[in-house]
Amino acid sequence: LHDACKVFDCDFEPMRPTLFARLFIPFIQLFPVTASGRMILSLAAELLGCAMFRLLWEKADVFASQPLVVARMRDLVRDILTDEMGHVVFAHAHLGRAGVAMARLIIPQVAARFLSDFPEYDALAGGRKAMMTRVMKFDAADYQLLWTD
């Protein structure tokens, strides 16, 4: 994301992630690759990522005075979101209904911890409650918006 910002001449000082963010992936990696627990935790984080990148895609209009920037931003975010949605579909296929239900149960906790590191998403969404609603309602099958400009 930092590199994407540099494309648009936007610079910022990256901040060190919280302990939760730094330990989440290593914790997931403690589970065997075939373990459902690993996939459940991954799916919760991937769904959050999808909701976050979809919000970025939708809010690209903040650069409406610069149509080339909007187009480039949407192209970059669309590519990232497409990859994220592929991870979600993969996890759905491997977990089945029960595993997906378990992932949906832990999303509020996972999302709240990660979103604490990114208050900008709450601002873009219209508050934490609105952002959490987006996360909980994200549906990878609802993608047609991404392919229209």
Side-chain angles (χ1 to χ4, degrees):
L1 195 52
H2 186 252
D3 288 340
C5 289
K6 286 196 295 191
V7 167
F8 303 111
D9 245 359
C10 297
D11 199 24
F12 63 92
E13 280 298 314
M15 295 171 44
R16 182 176 168 90
T18 62
L19 183 62
F20 177 82
R22 290 192 316 269
L23 295 179
F24 188 77
I25 302 252
F27 176 71
I28 288 174
Q29 292 172 334
L30 292 175
F31 291 93
V33 173
T34 57
S36 292
R38 182 177 188 159
M39 192 67 70
I40 289 167
L41 289 168
S42 297
L43 178 57
E46 295 288 357
L47 285 166
L48 169 62
C50 284
M52 292 168 84
F53 282 108
R54 179 167 178 158
L55 178 61
L56 287 178
W57 190 91
E58 291 173 8
K59 297 298 181 173
D61 287 339
V62 74
F63 300 107
S65 65
Q66 301 174 57
L68 293 175
V69 172
V70 172
R72 183 70 176 132
M73 178 87 158
R74 283 203 170 135
D75 285 345
L76 290 170
V77 172
R78 180 184 296 142
D79 289 347
I80 295 167
L81 183 52
T82 300
D83 182 65
E84 292 290 307
M85 289 191 311
H87 299 165
V88 167
V89 171
F90 179 82
H92 271 251
H94 284 277
L95 287 173
R97 287 184 184 189
V100 171
M102 291 177 70
R104 290 248 176 224
L105 283 174
I106 65 168
I107 287 173
Q109 291 78 28
V110 171
R113 296 300 297 266
F114 275 116
L115 287 170
S116 295
D117 285 349
F118 303 103
E120 302 84 359
Y121 283 95
D122 292 341
L124 284 172
R128 174 60 59 93
K129 185 176 179 181
M131 185 64 206
M132 290 301 290
T133 298
R134 284 175 161 276
V135 173
M136 295 307 294
K137 289 186 175 183
F138 182 82
D139 181 359
D142 181 24
Y143 61 87
Q144 61 272 22
L145 175 67
L146 300 175
W147 309 111
T148 60
D149 288 324

